[in-house]
Amino acid sequence: MTSATTGTRPAITLTIAGSEATGGAGAQADLKTFQELGTYGIVALTCIVSFDPKHNWNHRFVPIDPQVIADQLEAVQTCYAADLRTVKLGMMGSPTTISTVAAALKTQVWDNIVLDPVLICKGQEPGHALDTDEALKTELLPLATFVTPNHFEAESLSGMSISNVADLTEAAKKIHALSGVTVLAKGGIRLAGSDAVDVYFDGETLEVLSAPKVGEVAVSGAGCSLAAAITAELAKGQTPLQAARNAKAFVTAGIKNRVSSAAPFDALWQGGTR
Ligand code: PXL
């Protein structure tokens, strides 16, 4: 399809994710990452998270009405029917949202569905969180082509505990075996050692991606931005492995150049590679 204006038409990238109002994580991080990496970013919102400064920065969580989620996806999928081939799935927040998103995803063919398996976000009932995690595993993981679990999520998806790179590698292989999906299992700051190590496995190629740790404290938006960067790179035509390598470099630079605030955590800066 040609552009209505002159110039190159960018690759289209959609994120189906939650808003995190301070701009560190969620849809805001995804959209900034898409823009920074030269794709045309689109958001369909699943929920709104507002940190609560008066209560230890807990997450206040409001779901978007399922019909409104379906409406957003109808608009996006109709608008970009010909070009929308790559999507990122971020925080869903409820089983109903997951079912709504799964139904919309099934109405078309995708080249890439990148699932950031956000299994638990604080501020929800344990029962509800558990149901949400279960729905994510049964309804979204089977649709995904690429999954990016963090340490905790990799333990949950693989059913094993992970305390070193060998464990992380085994977990990545297990997650691939049970899902058939390309896996980037993230050790991040959770594994001991001077490097932040992630393990890539697509069923054939195994690669340990490693970068010196920038610090020992988690930075808001790192997981979201990593999955969004993979999404953007895939949409531009990179192989999954090269997308993972490029995304790791993007996130490492973003953590080095992180943004501090009055919150007790810093946020990744998507302009870190500039
Ligand atoms: O887990 C990362 C994340 C994803 N999406 C939203 C969030 C957060 C963490 O705060 O708020 C909307």
Side-chain angles (χ1 to χ4, degrees):
M1 218 185 252
T2 52
S3 174
T5 55
T6 53
T8 321
R9 190 179 168 84
I12 306 284
T13 44
L14 165 67
T15 182
I16 307 176
S19 165
E20 189 280 275
T22 69
Q28 288 87 338
D30 295 347
L31 206 52
K32 285 182 273 185
T33 300
F34 291 162
Q35 180 74 15
E36 193 70 31
L37 293 176
T39 69
Y40 184 86
I42 302 174
V43 173
L45 220 53
T46 55
C47 61
I48 298 178
V49 170
S50 313
F51 294 142
D52 186 351
K54 293 196 200 72
H55 296 97
N56 201 27
W57 299 86
N58 281 341
H59 295 193
R60 292 174 289 200
F61 167 85
V62 177
I64 302 289
D65 184 279
Q67 187 58 52
V68 178
I69 297 173
D71 291 350
Q72 293 175 80
L73 290 170
E74 182 190 20
V76 174
Q77 290 179 288
T78 308
C79 202
Y80 291 103
D83 299 296
L84 182 61
R85 313 282 306 179
T86 298
V87 59
K88 183 206 142 168
L89 310 179
M91 183 177 169
M92 297 292 144
S94 82
T96 310
T97 297
I98 287 171
S99 299
T100 305
V101 169
L105 290 174
K106 285 179 193 162
T107 63
Q108 69 162 92
V109 175
W110 299 91
D111 291 337
N112 307 290
I113 299 181
V114 180
L115 173 63
D116 186 9
V118 181
L119 283 186
I120 288 234
C121 217
K122 286 168 254 162
Q124 296 172 56
E125 302 298 314
H128 179 87
L130 208 62
D131 292 348
T132 305
D133 291 0
E134 207 47 45
L136 191 138
K137 289 176 194 173
T138 57
E139 294 185 54
L140 291 183
L141 188 57
L143 301 178
T145 60
F146 200 129
V147 66
T148 60
N150 64 21
H151 179 258
F152 165 75
E153 293 153 355
E155 285 190 332
S156 173
L157 291 174
S158 68
M160 60 178 279
S161 69
I162 299 169
S163 43
N164 52 44
V165 178
D167 293 343
L168 192 64
T169 303
E170 195 183 331
K173 287 182 170 171
K174 280 193 172 165
I175 295 166
H176 175 79
L178 65 86
S179 66
V181 170
T182 295
V183 181
L184 185 65
K186 303 174 287 183
I189 56 162
R190 306 281 168 222
L191 299 183
S194 55
D195 288 346
V197 177
D198 305 329
V199 174
Y200 172 95
F201 185 63
D202 60 16
E204 288 177 8
T205 304
L206 178 92
E207 185 162 303
V208 176
L209 306 182
S210 196
K213 278 182 189 165
V214 178
E216 291 287 346
V217 180
V219 170
S220 174
C224 302
S225 299
L226 184 83
I230 290 170
T231 306
E233 293 300 298
L234 289 171
K236 291 188 293 182
Q238 292 289 356
T239 63
L241 177 56
Q242 196 57 46
R245 290 178 183 144
N246 293 356
K248 171 96 171 167
F250 178 82
V251 164
T252 302
I255 292 172
K256 277 186 187 143
N257 294 286
R258 64 197 176 276
V259 177
S260 60
S261 68
F265 41 80
D266 294 342
L268 180 143
W269 165 229
Q270 286 80 11
T273 50
R274 284 181 206 167

